[in-house]
Amino acid sequence: FGKEIKINKNFLEQIEAFLYQSDFGITVTESLLRKIEEASRKLPITNYQDLSNILREEFRERFARNNPEIPIDSHKPFVLLVVGVNGSGKTTTLGKLAYFFAQQGKKSLIIAGDTYRAAAIEQLELWAQRAGADFIKNPDAKNPSGIIYEGVQKGLHDQTDLLLIDTAGRLHNKANLMEELRKIVRVIQKLIPDAPHESLLILDGTVGQNGIVQAREFGKILPLTGLVVTKLDGTAKGGVLTAIHEKMGLPVKFVGLGEKIDDLLPFDVDLYVDSLFG
Amino acid sequence: QLRENLEGVLKKLRGQGKITEANIQDTMREIRQTLLEADVNFTVARDFIQHVTEKALGVQVLKSITPGQQIIKIIHEELIHLLGEENVPLNLSGLPPTVIMLVGLQGSGKTTFAAKLARHLKEQGKRPLLVAADVYRPAAIDQLVRLGEHIDVPVYEQKGVTPAKICRQAMEKARQDNTNVVIVDTAGRLHIDEKMMNEVKELQNLLHPREILFIADGMIGQDAVTAARDFNDQLSVTGVVLTKMDGDTRGGAALSIKTVTGKPIKFISSGEKPEDLEAFHPARFADRILG
Ligand SMILES: Nc1nc2c(ncn2[C@@H]2O[C@H](COP(=O)(O)OP(=O)(O)OP(=O)(O)O)[C@@H](O)[C@H]2O)c(=O)[nH]1
Ligand SMILES: Nc1nc2c(ncn2[C@@H]2O[C@H](COP(=O)(O)OP(=O)(O)OP(=O)(O)O)[C@@H](O)[C@H]2O)c(=O)[nH]1
Ligand SMILES: [Mg+2]
Ligand SMILES: [Mg+2]
């Protein structure tokens, strides 16, 4: 019996390492370990299949109220904004979203709201072409307010189904850039008071605990309605999405699984748990 | 932050003549917590704690400082030691043109860093040439061309051909133009993408770079170790750059990457502009990780 306990302790240590290395962080890892220990007292865990079953149950519970749907029929035009730190995958995800909604028969106007980064507009324009979406830009713009206003105005006039707005990458500790984001929201609201109807935080799947800070800080600037976790086709597990979902109640809407236009999948908790062991 | 957390724990150590296993446990738990919150890899953190514990045990507490201060000193020194002790500069030796190749995961900051490095070298009197070898990402070539224009550094570009051909022709141009440093920007890629890793191995064989720099996003979590190890195993990585360190991330990835690859962290990128480039200093960075 003593030996049994020893095996279990070693296995628990392996599980602890596994959870930490999936970027679940201290709080979530400790709470998961407690649940696993409780479960193992009722039924011994001897292999990773047992563990996978327990985690699946646990995650189904934690994500029971997660709704990955974007209610694009609720407004016309439906205004969707992507925000996030530099290089997280905003521009690529916006292209994928335009394509995703095109499959549902929705027409999009993509608005080039990144007026700073070299070739940001050209990059987005190529995605718009690939997705069959309309595109509006101002290559001479020194800041995003004007083109975003113009784009929303055009969308209202043309009664476009979806207005997809790209923004420049910004670090959440840069006060001036976060203030600009507030301004972007105000500019949109001048024309459509209850917009943006969907504000997605685009999170790099390789991010560590700073992802939680990003969600918290961006959440202070505008009411985020969803999370997209990109680059989960790599070896990163994106574990911080659990902490963000629990702390902020933020729905996880999509995962990015590659660099092609159809590499976007609505979040599915079972698939996510499977991917932890992948 | 770590120091504040330690204050309470270390107060208990006061009045104790020797640092023992018992009285050091709380401290080490606190340190481990701090390292994990700072995104130091789980295994790296565990080994670090073990090593520091061994060093601290049995250390006769000096009259001049408290045991707590002594432990902090050991931790700080050990961190600096692991981060590489001192700055290792860029290797520009050998017959020109010297090639520096940039590799890394998607979005880590390679293209932006290419321009920063070019500007830095130009300031030092070198004549750099930038090479746009990312043929995949939409407008990647335009991005580097645009950045090159801003800093007045030539960019070799060609659309519709393979990265190998671009690099070959860029080297010809470099020799013709008396370029002394060639900086090759490559596409972001996954270390588990065999085809893409083969491409960059082919480029390594073609270019014989003096430096292959692994560009890592400073906010990266536990995956830093997996990615860095794989890139380092498959390529002759000579150095590491940590980007976006103007953020508030603690950057524990630095310790993980250095530990697992053994390669020096050469630069820190701390902003989006070409001038936002700093040499990596282990002592300064140790303070940052400890918060
Ligand atoms: N493997 C993989 N790469 C991705 C994914 N999403 C985006 N990328 C890549 O990540 C890199 C950065 O993507 P961008 O769309 O430019 O990111 P961004 O957030 O718009 O960047 P900035 O505007 O500069 O802040 C590109 O190389 C993309 O192809 C994904 O789901 N998987
Ligand atoms: N704040 C900040 N942003 C940075 C830094 N380095 C790069 N960036 C930004 O990060 C984003 C991604 O940079 P890129 O240079 O396009 O990254 P990349 O590695 O070339 O991306 P791929 O080619 O798609 O793999 C851009 O928005 C850059 O401006 C930095 O040190 N600080
Ligand atoms: Mg972008
Ligand atoms: Mg690039």
Side-chain angles (χ1 to χ4, degrees):
Chain A
F1 178 72
K3 203 180 212 183
E4 209 172 78
I5 297 284
K6 213 181 220 170
I7 292 172
N8 217 12
K9 178 166 191 304
N10 195 3
F11 195 50
L12 271 179
E13 283 179 359
Q14 287 179 38
I15 296 173
E16 183 190 32
F18 165 77
L19 292 174
Y20 270 117
Q21 296 186 359
S22 305
D23 280 314
F24 284 114
I26 297 178
T27 312
V28 171
T29 295
E30 292 191 345
S31 86
L32 284 175
L33 278 176
R34 277 197 300 276
K35 286 291 168 78
I36 291 167
E37 255 180 303
E38 268 172 46
S40 74
R41 269 181 244 135
K42 299 179 191 145
L43 212 69
I45 307 176
T46 51
N47 55 36
Y48 273 96
Q49 187 54 53
D50 295 338
L51 178 63
S52 162
N53 293 336
I54 293 174
L55 283 179
R56 182 171 307 187
E57 278 313 301
E58 183 58 25
F59 273 77
R60 276 184 186 166
E61 217 171 293
R62 291 175 188 236
F63 284 85
R65 269 178 275 123
N66 191 62
N67 182 7
E69 276 210 40
I70 296 187
I72 52 181
D73 290 321
S74 62
H75 297 89
K76 186 163 170 144
F78 185 90
V79 181
L80 184 153
L81 183 73
V82 290
V83 301
V85 302
N86 307 72
S88 64
K90 299 175 291 301
T91 303
T92 306
T93 300
L94 207 61
K96 291 175 180 176
L97 284 169
Y99 180 77
F100 182 80
F101 293 128
Q103 310 301 90
Q104 300 173 21
K106 297 293 176 187
K107 185 68 177 174
S108 296
L109 169 66
I110 292 181
I111 302 171
D114 180 354
T115 52
Y116 298 125
R117 210 210 64 215
I121 295 175
E122 286 78 351
Q123 181 189 10
L124 187 60
E125 184 155 22
L126 281 160
W127 279 111
Q129 286 168 8
R130 287 178 185 179
D134 291 335
F135 186 68
I136 187 167
K137 65 179 173 181
N138 177 3
D140 303 319
K142 291 288 176 284
N143 67 58
S145 304
I147 185 59
I148 290 177
Y149 187 88
E150 205 182 318
V152 176
Q153 209 169 34
K154 174 170 168 58
L156 275 167
H157 175 266
D158 299 350
Q159 278 296 289
T160 316
D161 296 320
L162 293 162
L163 301 184
L164 307 179
I165 307 175
D166 191 17
T167 63
R170 70 200 67 228
L171 293 181
H172 48 277
N173 59 329
K174 306 261 169 109
N176 58 328
L177 297 180
M178 296 309 268
E179 184 51 36
E180 176 187 88
L181 192 53
R182 269 202 194 94
K183 181 158 186 238
I184 287 173
V185 174
R186 283 200 301 267
V187 159
I188 296 170
Q189 289 174 340
K190 275 197 200 144
L191 292 167
I192 306 178
D194 62 352
H197 306 114
E198 189 79 33
S199 296
L200 298 175
L201 177 68
I202 313 298
L203 203 68
D204 189 320
T206 64
V207 78
Q209 297 308 300
N210 193 255
I212 300 173
V213 182
Q214 291 175 27
R216 189 188 67 216
E217 292 305 307
F218 275 91
K220 287 181 186 165
I221 304 296
L222 76 168
L224 297 172
T225 59
L227 192 66
V228 177
V229 185
T230 63
K231 311 179 194 173
L232 290 185
D233 46 318
T235 49
K237 309 294 183 188
V240 292
L241 67 84
T242 312
I244 294 171
H245 178 69
E246 306 213 317
K247 283 194 182 186
M248 296 176 54
L250 198 57
V252 186
K253 303 246 168 169
F254 290 96
V255 292
L257 293 171
E259 301 188 75
K260 302 200 296 303
I261 204 163
D262 55 356
D263 287 329
L264 189 73
L265 212 63
F267 183 72
D268 176 300
V269 71
D270 287 354
L271 287 181
Y272 180 69
V273 173
D274 287 344
S275 77
L276 295 176
F277 298 91
Chain B
Q1 226 243 308
L2 171 73
R3 277 155 222 266
E4 289 172 20
N5 295 346
L6 283 184
E7 291 282 313
V9 173
L10 297 176
K11 268 205 176 79
K12 295 186 204 157
L13 286 170
R14 218 165 271 156
Q16 308 202 11
K18 204 143 102 36
I19 297 173
T20 67
E21 186 118 33
N23 62 33
I24 204 178
Q25 270 215 18
D26 286 342
T27 310
M28 287 313 161
R29 200 167 309 136
E30 198 63 41
I31 307 274
R32 191 185 92 132
Q33 198 104 337
T34 302
L35 294 178
L36 288 173
E37 283 168 354
D39 289 320
V40 174
N41 178 265
F42 179 77
T43 315
V44 171
R46 189 188 54 201
D47 294 347
F48 179 84
I49 296 298
Q50 200 170 333
H51 189 82
V52 171
T53 303
E54 286 168 11
K55 270 204 154 174
L57 281 180
V59 166
Q60 201 58 37
V61 180
L62 305 172
K63 288 284 182 283
S64 53
I65 60 176
T66 67
Q69 285 173 323
Q70 202 147 351
I71 291 176
I72 291 187
K73 187 162 165 296
I74 291 173
I75 291 167
H76 199 249
E77 284 174 356
E78 192 58 24
L79 260 183
I80 294 174
H81 174 68
L82 286 177
L83 287 171
E85 295 284 339
E86 49 181 60
N87 174 264
V88 177
L90 214 52
N91 179 3
L92 298 174
S93 64
L95 245 55
T98 311
V99 180
I100 301 172
M101 186 165 83
L102 308 181
V103 299
L105 299 173
Q106 288 88 348
S108 60
K110 298 173 291 301
T111 305
T112 310
F113 179 74
K116 291 179 186 196
L117 188 57
R119 180 195 163 279
H120 171 74
L121 291 171
K122 190 172 176 194
E123 286 232 307
Q124 294 187 339
K126 302 278 180 204
R127 232 180 356 268
L129 172 70
L130 285 163
V131 181
D134 178 354
V135 304
Y136 306 98
R137 171 172 152 157
I141 296 176
D142 295 334
Q143 184 186 4
L144 191 63
V145 167
R146 208 64 62 77
L147 291 173
E149 285 168 359
H150 286 174
I151 56 170
D152 192 26
V153 168
V155 179
Y156 182 82
E157 56 148 322
Q158 220 195 125
K159 298 212 166 100
V161 296
T162 65
K165 182 145 189 228
I166 292 170
C167 287
R168 222 173 280 128
Q169 302 198 331
M171 291 309 288
E172 281 187 29
K173 174 171 169 63
R175 280 184 273 268
Q176 285 169 16
D177 295 357
N178 251 327
T179 299
N180 40 31
V181 191
V182 174
I183 301 165
V184 181
D185 179 28
T186 68
R189 71 200 63 227
L190 294 176
H191 46 109
I192 54 172
D193 185 333
E194 207 176 326
K195 185 159 161 288
M196 288 300 275
M197 290 308 285
N198 283 338
E199 168 187 287
V200 77
K201 281 182 209 168
E202 180 192 11
L203 293 183
Q204 174 181 294
N205 290 337
L206 204 164
L207 295 164
H208 304 292
R210 184 76 47 209
E211 291 266 14
I212 295 182
L213 299 179
F214 177 67
I215 315 297
D217 189 322
M219 306 177 259
I220 193 171
Q222 300 284 312
D223 197 50
V225 151
T226 321
R229 183 188 290 125
D230 249 354
F231 271 88
N232 190 45
D233 285 345
Q234 299 191 48
L235 297 167
S236 310
V237 171
T238 56
V240 177
V241 178
L242 233 51
T243 64
K244 307 175 200 172
M245 293 310 295
D246 44 325
D248 57 8
T249 182
R250 302 256 293 284
L255 185 63
S256 308
I257 294 175
K258 175 73 175 66
T259 306
V260 108
T261 63
K263 300 295 156 68
I265 299 170
K266 300 214 168 183
F267 293 100
I268 296 289
S269 170
S270 52
E272 293 191 72
K273 300 207 237 46
E275 48 269 32
D276 297 325
L277 178 68
E278 324 167 356
F280 176 75
H281 291 292
R284 234 175 280 163
F285 214 87
D287 289 335
R288 178 171 187 148
I289 290 180
L290 292 180

